[in-house]
Amino acid sequence: RDIEFKPNNPNVIYAAKQSSGGSNIYRSTDGGANWTVINNGVASNGKHRPLIAVTPSNPEVIYALYSASDYSFHGLYKSSDSGNSWTKQSDSPNILGRDTDGTSTGGQSWYDLSLGVATNNEDLVYVGGINIWRSDNSGVNWNIDANSGNNQQLYSYMHVDQHAFEFNPLTHVAYAGNDGGFYKYMENLSKWVDKSDGLEISQFYNLGLSKSNPSRLVAGAQDNGTEMLTNSYWDAILGGDGMECKIDHYNDDIIYAEYQYGGLRKSYDGGNNWDNIKPVNYEGAWNTPYEMHSLNNDLIVI
């Protein structure tokens, strides 16, 4: 799952492995020729998808992050002696869940997970699951640091689903990569900034064209919602994974959009407000197709 060199010593390598026999951290002291498990102080079971992080600020330090069987937060461990022994720093709140207060159950660590420790401060640790969490005391306590919600007084805006986290070893600046782009932490602004903003790199599943307005289209983007293009201006109009979308034949302010598993919505005002029109007790495919009749705009088949 993960591999790191011990800072300043290329002969010592750490590796995180997950297998049917369990998840463990391994160490080699001869450049990878031989390996031993280093798990003194780590729970023997119930831990999955391990990640590791090291820091040149203290080459003896290793962090190990594990998720639980339900993809929630199992725990963060720290070793200060190159892996000879470990101490659990915390196992709560659920920093791998969706809720920004850590109270939700489960998570998506089977899909999104990241770990980073500052290159100039062994106590500054970040964990990414759905959101980004920060600890200033080696993972003992956690604060939500970035989320896709609107409460920017408490945290920075950042797209969900974290996959990568790194510190620049020369400037000690933090970077995060997720399903929405590439973010950089701006110390002078005390917030995360989307450095990929403006890049036309979205992966679109489907698009819908307007018969009455040739300057308008809507498109569903993988994990980046539904976007509407009017003339040359793009606007995000619905969240989730953007799927199939349509524009009414005779009124381009009536828009149909959808997120995963057939979550069909209808807007009468150009995407500002949405009504749920998903069939009751219906669960569709990941990208559920539907069709509007070519003449009768009130007839939709899904």
Side-chain angles (χ1 to χ4, degrees):
R1 286 293 185 177
D2 201 3
I3 189 166
E4 297 285 350
F5 281 101
K6 182 177 181 178
N8 305 323
N9 188 344
N11 290 319
V12 179
I13 311 172
Y14 309 110
K17 179 182 179 183
Q18 178 176 322
S19 65
S20 58
S23 300
N24 284 302
I25 309 301
Y26 293 75
R27 180 179 64 198
S28 172
T29 58
D30 52 12
N34 298 282
W35 296 87
T36 57
V37 175
I38 48 173
N39 60 0
N40 182 28
V42 180
S44 59
N45 52 40
K47 58 190 191 298
H48 301 272
R49 199 181 176 186
L51 290 182
I52 51 177
V54 297
T55 172
S57 69
N58 185 349
E60 299 301 313
V61 166
I62 320 169
Y63 285 94
L65 171 67
Y66 295 93
S67 63
S69 58
D70 65 349
Y71 310 116
S72 63
F73 181 42
H74 169 85
L76 181 79
Y77 293 82
K78 180 180 180 179
S79 173
S80 299
D81 53 13
S82 194
N84 291 328
S85 61
W86 297 85
T87 301
K88 181 187 283 188
Q89 302 299 97
S90 61
D91 57 13
S92 67
N94 183 15
I95 58 176
L96 302 184
R98 183 168 296 279
D99 292 348
T100 57
D101 60 0
T103 59
S104 59
T105 59
Q108 293 183 174
S109 56
W110 56 271
Y111 174 66
D112 43 42
L113 196 64
S114 64
L115 171 67
V117 55
T119 46
N120 61 344
N121 181 0
E122 69 172 273
D123 296 323
L124 176 56
V125 183
Y126 285 90
V127 165
I130 297 173
N131 308 307
I132 287 284
W133 290 75
R134 170 175 171 154
S135 174
D136 291 283
N137 58 0
S138 298
V140 176
N141 302 107
W142 297 94
N143 292 299
I144 186 74
D145 201 56
N147 173 263
S148 63
N150 296 318
N151 197 344
Q152 310 309 234
Q153 292 180 336
L154 295 179
Y155 45 74
S156 293
Y157 173 86
M158 185 185 289
H159 196 280
V160 296
D161 297 338
Q162 311 303 318
H163 298 288
F165 201 101
E166 296 290 343
F167 279 86
N168 185 318
L170 301 179
T171 64
H172 313 300
V173 172
Y175 295 87
N178 53 56
D179 277 5
F182 179 62
Y183 289 75
K184 176 182 179 180
Y185 187 75
M186 306 296 289
E187 194 75 42
N188 60 323
L189 301 176
S190 297
K191 69 175 185 178
W192 291 90
V193 176
D194 184 0
K195 302 304 291 184
S196 54
D197 188 29
L199 295 179
E200 297 179 352
I201 55 176
S202 296
Q203 175 191 351
F204 289 117
Y205 283 121
N206 306 90
L207 60 86
L209 303 176
S210 171
K211 289 186 176 182
S212 60
N213 183 354
S215 298
R216 172 165 289 183
L217 65 82
V218 286
Q222 192 278 327
D223 206 24
N224 281 267
T226 299
E227 304 278 336
M228 180 173 67
L229 177 65
T230 305
N231 295 317
S232 59
Y233 179 73
W234 285 99
D235 187 24
I237 58 175
L238 188 66
D241 285 81
M243 301 298 184
E244 183 66 87
C245 39
K246 305 285 184 184
I247 300 176
D248 186 89
H249 300 322
Y250 310 108
N251 183 346
D252 68 325
D253 281 332
I254 298 178
I255 300 171
Y256 299 86
E258 180 187 46
Y259 53 82
Q260 55 267 46
Y261 303 117
L264 191 57
R265 299 293 186 267
K266 182 177 182 179
S267 174
Y268 295 89
D269 58 4
N272 292 309
N273 298 282
W274 295 91
D275 292 339
N276 179 14
I277 61 170
K278 179 181 180 180
V280 177
N281 298 325
Y282 173 77
E283 191 77 357
W286 173 254
N287 186 357
T288 300
Y290 61 92
E291 189 60 56
M292 181 189 300
H293 191 276
S294 60
L295 298 178
N296 184 355
N297 59 318
D298 290 328
L299 180 57
I300 295 177
V301 178
I302 186 170

PDB file of all heavy atoms in Angstrom, residues 4 7 14 45 47 57-58 60 67 85 97 116 125 127 135 138 153-154 158 194 219 253 257 283 287:
ATOM      1  N   GLU A   4       8.273   4.009   2.105  1.00  0.00           N
ATOM      2  CA  GLU A   4       9.032   5.218   2.396  1.00  0.00           C
ATOM      3  C   GLU A   4      10.469   4.855   2.763  1.00  0.00           C
ATOM      4  O   GLU A   4      10.716   3.836   3.418  1.00  0.00           O
ATOM      5  CB  GLU A   4       8.423   5.985   3.588  1.00  0.00           C
ATOM      6  CG  GLU A   4       7.020   6.505   3.382  1.00  0.00           C
ATOM      7  CD  GLU A   4       6.950   7.734   2.491  1.00  0.00           C
ATOM      8  OE1 GLU A   4       8.025   8.304   2.175  1.00  0.00           O
ATOM      9  OE2 GLU A   4       5.826   8.130   2.128  1.00  0.00           O
ATOM     10  N   PRO A   7      14.453   8.981   6.265  1.00  0.00           N
ATOM     11  CA  PRO A   7      15.189  10.182   5.861  1.00  0.00           C
ATOM     12  C   PRO A   7      16.679  10.072   6.187  1.00  0.00           C
ATOM     13  O   PRO A   7      17.060   9.641   7.272  1.00  0.00           O
ATOM     14  CB  PRO A   7      14.506  11.297   6.681  1.00  0.00           C
ATOM     15  CG  PRO A   7      13.120  10.791   6.908  1.00  0.00           C
ATOM     16  CD  PRO A   7      13.268   9.305   7.083  1.00  0.00           C
ATOM     17  N   TYR A  14      10.750   1.445   4.822  1.00  0.00           N
ATOM     18  CA  TYR A  14       9.519   1.004   5.474  1.00  0.00           C
ATOM     19  C   TYR A  14       8.468   0.717   4.397  1.00  0.00           C
ATOM     20  O   TYR A  14       8.383   1.423   3.398  1.00  0.00           O
ATOM     21  CB  TYR A  14       8.977   2.080   6.412  1.00  0.00           C
ATOM     22  CG  TYR A  14       9.991   2.626   7.393  1.00  0.00           C
ATOM     23  CD1 TYR A  14      10.473   3.932   7.263  1.00  0.00           C
ATOM     24  CD2 TYR A  14      10.456   1.852   8.450  1.00  0.00           C
ATOM     25  CE1 TYR A  14      11.401   4.452   8.154  1.00  0.00           C
ATOM     26  CE2 TYR A  14      11.385   2.349   9.346  1.00  0.00           C
ATOM     27  CZ  TYR A  14      11.851   3.654   9.196  1.00  0.00           C
ATOM     28  OH  TYR A  14      12.774   4.144  10.083  1.00  0.00           O
ATOM     29  N   ASN A  45      -5.356  -7.034  15.123  1.00  0.00           N
ATOM     30  CA  ASN A  45      -6.363  -7.231  14.083  1.00  0.00           C
ATOM     31  C   ASN A  45      -7.288  -6.019  14.011  1.00  0.00           C
ATOM     32  O   ASN A  45      -7.162  -5.068  14.789  1.00  0.00           O
ATOM     33  CB  ASN A  45      -7.175  -8.514  14.351  1.00  0.00           C
ATOM     34  CG  ASN A  45      -7.727  -8.550  15.762  1.00  0.00           C
ATOM     35  OD1 ASN A  45      -8.189  -7.548  16.294  1.00  0.00           O
ATOM     36  ND2 ASN A  45      -7.648  -9.706  16.388  1.00  0.00           N
ATOM     37  N   LYS A  47      -7.488  -3.869  11.603  1.00  0.00           N
ATOM     38  CA  LYS A  47      -6.913  -2.713  10.932  1.00  0.00           C
ATOM     39  C   LYS A  47      -6.715  -3.024   9.451  1.00  0.00           C
ATOM     40  O   LYS A  47      -6.354  -4.135   9.086  1.00  0.00           O
ATOM     41  CB  LYS A  47      -5.595  -2.296  11.587  1.00  0.00           C
ATOM     42  CG  LYS A  47      -4.523  -3.377  11.627  1.00  0.00           C
ATOM     43  CD  LYS A  47      -3.355  -2.955  12.500  1.00  0.00           C
ATOM     44  CE  LYS A  47      -2.157  -3.878  12.347  1.00  0.00           C
ATOM     45  NZ  LYS A  47      -2.437  -5.263  12.749  1.00  0.00           N
ATOM     46  N   SER A  57      12.392  16.132   9.744  1.00  0.00           N
ATOM     47  CA  SER A  57      12.572  16.886  10.984  1.00  0.00           C
ATOM     48  C   SER A  57      12.979  15.972  12.137  1.00  0.00           C
ATOM     49  O   SER A  57      13.595  16.417  13.108  1.00  0.00           O
ATOM     50  CB  SER A  57      11.298  17.641  11.349  1.00  0.00           C
ATOM     51  OG  SER A  57      10.266  16.748  11.743  1.00  0.00           O
ATOM     52  N   ASN A  58      12.630  14.680  12.024  1.00  0.00           N
ATOM     53  CA  ASN A  58      13.073  13.668  12.976  1.00  0.00           C
ATOM     54  C   ASN A  58      13.068  12.323  12.264  1.00  0.00           C
ATOM     55  O   ASN A  58      12.025  11.665  12.172  1.00  0.00           O
ATOM     56  CB  ASN A  58      12.163  13.619  14.205  1.00  0.00           C
ATOM     57  CG  ASN A  58      12.671  12.652  15.267  1.00  0.00           C
ATOM     58  OD1 ASN A  58      13.587  11.859  15.028  1.00  0.00           O
ATOM     59  ND2 ASN A  58      12.090  12.718  16.452  1.00  0.00           N
ATOM     60  N   GLU A  60      13.783   9.439  13.011  1.00  0.00           N
ATOM     61  CA  GLU A  60      13.376   8.264  13.784  1.00  0.00           C
ATOM     62  C   GLU A  60      11.860   8.075  13.828  1.00  0.00           C
ATOM     63  O   GLU A  60      11.368   7.022  14.217  1.00  0.00           O
ATOM     64  CB  GLU A  60      13.913   8.356  15.216  1.00  0.00           C
ATOM     65  CG  GLU A  60      15.425   8.402  15.316  1.00  0.00           C
ATOM     66  CD  GLU A  60      16.074   7.176  14.689  1.00  0.00           C
ATOM     67  OE1 GLU A  60      15.622   6.054  14.969  1.00  0.00           O
ATOM     68  OE2 GLU A  60      17.024   7.354  13.893  1.00  0.00           O
ATOM     69  N   SER A  67      -7.374   2.142   8.629  1.00  0.00           N
ATOM     70  CA  SER A  67      -8.827   2.244   8.663  1.00  0.00           C
ATOM     71  C   SER A  67      -9.394   0.965   9.254  1.00  0.00           C
ATOM     72  O   SER A  67      -8.710  -0.050   9.356  1.00  0.00           O
ATOM     73  CB  SER A  67      -9.383   2.481   7.260  1.00  0.00           C
ATOM     74  OG  SER A  67      -9.101   1.386   6.414  1.00  0.00           O
ATOM     75  N   SER A  85       8.969   0.343  18.373  1.00  0.00           N
ATOM     76  CA  SER A  85       7.771   0.342  19.201  1.00  0.00           C
ATOM     77  C   SER A  85       6.820   1.436  18.706  1.00  0.00           C
ATOM     78  O   SER A  85       7.250   2.426  18.100  1.00  0.00           O
ATOM     79  CB  SER A  85       8.117   0.561  20.680  1.00  0.00           C
ATOM     80  OG  SER A  85       8.747   1.824  20.860  1.00  0.00           O
ATOM     81  N   GLY A  97     -14.813   9.688   8.190  1.00  0.00           N
ATOM     82  CA  GLY A  97     -16.225   9.758   7.847  1.00  0.00           C
ATOM     83  C   GLY A  97     -16.571  11.034   7.107  1.00  0.00           C
ATOM     84  O   GLY A  97     -15.729  11.886   6.842  1.00  0.00           O
ATOM     85  N   GLY A 116      -0.030  12.717   5.678  1.00  0.00           N
ATOM     86  CA  GLY A 116       1.169  13.539   5.505  1.00  0.00           C
ATOM     87  C   GLY A 116       1.633  14.106   6.825  1.00  0.00           C
ATOM     88  O   GLY A 116       0.819  14.432   7.700  1.00  0.00           O
ATOM     89  N   VAL A 125       0.422  16.839  11.559  1.00  0.00           N
ATOM     90  CA  VAL A 125      -0.004  15.686  10.777  1.00  0.00           C
ATOM     91  C   VAL A 125      -1.343  15.989  10.113  1.00  0.00           C
ATOM     92  O   VAL A 125      -2.236  16.598  10.716  1.00  0.00           O
ATOM     93  CB  VAL A 125      -0.147  14.429  11.668  1.00  0.00           C
ATOM     94  CG1 VAL A 125      -0.515  13.213  10.824  1.00  0.00           C
ATOM     95  CG2 VAL A 125       1.130  14.179  12.451  1.00  0.00           C
ATOM     96  N   VAL A 127      -4.514  14.070   7.814  1.00  0.00           N
ATOM     97  CA  VAL A 127      -5.134  12.845   7.311  1.00  0.00           C
ATOM     98  C   VAL A 127      -6.275  13.243   6.387  1.00  0.00           C
ATOM     99  O   VAL A 127      -7.089  14.104   6.710  1.00  0.00           O
ATOM    100  CB  VAL A 127      -5.662  11.959   8.454  1.00  0.00           C
ATOM    101  CG1 VAL A 127      -6.616  10.885   7.916  1.00  0.00           C
ATOM    102  CG2 VAL A 127      -4.506  11.295   9.187  1.00  0.00           C
ATOM    103  N   SER A 135      -3.877  17.749  12.731  1.00  0.00           N
ATOM    104  CA  SER A 135      -3.478  17.632  14.128  1.00  0.00           C
ATOM    105  C   SER A 135      -2.166  18.373  14.323  1.00  0.00           C
ATOM    106  O   SER A 135      -1.241  18.228  13.524  1.00  0.00           O
ATOM    107  CB  SER A 135      -3.298  16.168  14.530  1.00  0.00           C
ATOM    108  OG  SER A 135      -2.773  16.076  15.846  1.00  0.00           O
ATOM    109  N   SER A 138       0.757  15.613  17.009  1.00  0.00           N
ATOM    110  CA  SER A 138       1.125  14.247  16.622  1.00  0.00           C
ATOM    111  C   SER A 138      -0.064  13.306  16.512  1.00  0.00           C
ATOM    112  O   SER A 138       0.064  12.102  16.720  1.00  0.00           O
ATOM    113  CB  SER A 138       2.150  13.663  17.610  1.00  0.00           C
ATOM    114  OG  SER A 138       3.338  14.409  17.602  1.00  0.00           O
ATOM    115  N   GLN A 153     -15.914  29.800   7.682  1.00  0.00           N
ATOM    116  CA  GLN A 153     -15.381  30.412   8.894  1.00  0.00           C
ATOM    117  C   GLN A 153     -14.665  29.376   9.755  1.00  0.00           C
ATOM    118  O   GLN A 153     -13.789  29.723  10.546  1.00  0.00           O
ATOM    119  CB  GLN A 153     -16.514  31.062   9.691  1.00  0.00           C
ATOM    120  CG  GLN A 153     -17.127  32.277   8.996  1.00  0.00           C
ATOM    121  CD  GLN A 153     -18.240  32.896   9.823  1.00  0.00           C
ATOM    122  OE1 GLN A 153     -18.853  32.240  10.652  1.00  0.00           O
ATOM    123  NE2 GLN A 153     -18.494  34.171   9.599  1.00  0.00           N
ATOM    124  N   LEU A 154     -15.037  28.105   9.599  1.00  0.00           N
ATOM    125  CA  LEU A 154     -14.430  27.045  10.398  1.00  0.00           C
ATOM    126  C   LEU A 154     -13.356  26.281   9.645  1.00  0.00           C
ATOM    127  O   LEU A 154     -12.443  25.729  10.256  1.00  0.00           O
ATOM    128  CB  LEU A 154     -15.506  26.065  10.882  1.00  0.00           C
ATOM    129  CG  LEU A 154     -16.556  26.622  11.847  1.00  0.00           C
ATOM    130  CD1 LEU A 154     -17.560  25.543  12.214  1.00  0.00           C
ATOM    131  CD2 LEU A 154     -15.891  27.178  13.102  1.00  0.00           C
ATOM    132  N   MET A 158     -12.601  22.664   0.124  1.00  0.00           N
ATOM    133  CA  MET A 158     -11.814  21.732  -0.674  1.00  0.00           C
ATOM    134  C   MET A 158     -12.739  20.622  -1.159  1.00  0.00           C
ATOM    135  O   MET A 158     -13.619  20.177  -0.427  1.00  0.00           O
ATOM    136  CB  MET A 158     -10.663  21.112   0.122  1.00  0.00           C
ATOM    137  CG  MET A 158      -9.747  20.217  -0.711  1.00  0.00           C
ATOM    138  SD  MET A 158      -8.480  19.362   0.259  1.00  0.00           S
ATOM    139  CE  MET A 158      -7.404  20.732   0.673  1.00  0.00           C
ATOM    140  N   ASP A 194      -7.209  26.201  -4.560  1.00  0.00           N
ATOM    141  CA  ASP A 194      -7.264  25.258  -5.680  1.00  0.00           C
ATOM    142  C   ASP A 194      -6.327  25.735  -6.785  1.00  0.00           C
ATOM    143  O   ASP A 194      -6.628  26.683  -7.511  1.00  0.00           O
ATOM    144  CB  ASP A 194      -8.703  25.160  -6.194  1.00  0.00           C
ATOM    145  CG  ASP A 194      -8.852  24.128  -7.307  1.00  0.00           C
ATOM    146  OD1 ASP A 194      -7.848  23.489  -7.681  1.00  0.00           O
ATOM    147  OD2 ASP A 194      -9.981  23.967  -7.803  1.00  0.00           O
ATOM    148  N   ALA A 219     -23.721  19.230 -18.655  1.00  0.00           N
ATOM    149  CA  ALA A 219     -22.856  18.054 -18.727  1.00  0.00           C
ATOM    150  C   ALA A 219     -22.622  17.510 -17.331  1.00  0.00           C
ATOM    151  O   ALA A 219     -22.401  18.264 -16.380  1.00  0.00           O
ATOM    152  CB  ALA A 219     -21.522  18.410 -19.383  1.00  0.00           C
ATOM    153  N   ASP A 253     -34.695  26.850 -19.471  1.00  0.00           N
ATOM    154  CA  ASP A 253     -34.560  26.986 -18.024  1.00  0.00           C
ATOM    155  C   ASP A 253     -35.047  25.744 -17.285  1.00  0.00           C
ATOM    156  O   ASP A 253     -34.833  25.607 -16.076  1.00  0.00           O
ATOM    157  CB  ASP A 253     -35.333  28.205 -17.510  1.00  0.00           C
ATOM    158  CG  ASP A 253     -34.572  29.499 -17.744  1.00  0.00           C
ATOM    159  OD1 ASP A 253     -33.329  29.458 -17.779  1.00  0.00           O
ATOM    160  OD2 ASP A 253     -35.222  30.554 -17.900  1.00  0.00           O
ATOM    161  N   ALA A 257     -31.205  16.828 -14.304  1.00  0.00           N
ATOM    162  CA  ALA A 257     -29.845  16.378 -13.979  1.00  0.00           C
ATOM    163  C   ALA A 257     -29.942  15.216 -13.006  1.00  0.00           C
ATOM    164  O   ALA A 257     -30.992  14.944 -12.428  1.00  0.00           O
ATOM    165  CB  ALA A 257     -29.023  17.522 -13.398  1.00  0.00           C
ATOM    166  N   GLU A 283     -33.713   2.090  -7.481  1.00  0.00           N
ATOM    167  CA  GLU A 283     -32.263   2.208  -7.420  1.00  0.00           C
ATOM    168  C   GLU A 283     -31.707   1.834  -8.785  1.00  0.00           C
ATOM    169  O   GLU A 283     -31.827   0.681  -9.218  1.00  0.00           O
ATOM    170  CB  GLU A 283     -31.686   1.292  -6.344  1.00  0.00           C
ATOM    171  CG  GLU A 283     -30.217   1.547  -6.035  1.00  0.00           C
ATOM    172  CD  GLU A 283     -29.978   2.785  -5.175  1.00  0.00           C
ATOM    173  OE1 GLU A 283     -30.941   3.498  -4.847  1.00  0.00           O
ATOM    174  OE2 GLU A 283     -28.819   3.050  -4.842  1.00  0.00           O
ATOM    175  N   ASN A 287     -24.532   4.977 -13.484  1.00  0.00           N
ATOM    176  CA  ASN A 287     -24.884   6.037 -14.432  1.00  0.00           C
ATOM    177  C   ASN A 287     -26.183   5.592 -15.117  1.00  0.00           C
ATOM    178  O   ASN A 287     -26.155   4.898 -16.128  1.00  0.00           O
ATOM    179  CB  ASN A 287     -23.753   6.232 -15.446  1.00  0.00           C
ATOM    180  CG  ASN A 287     -23.992   7.419 -16.358  1.00  0.00           C
ATOM    181  OD1 ASN A 287     -25.018   8.086 -16.288  1.00  0.00           O
ATOM    182  ND2 ASN A 287     -23.035   7.682 -17.246  1.00  0.00           N
TER     183      ASN A 287
END
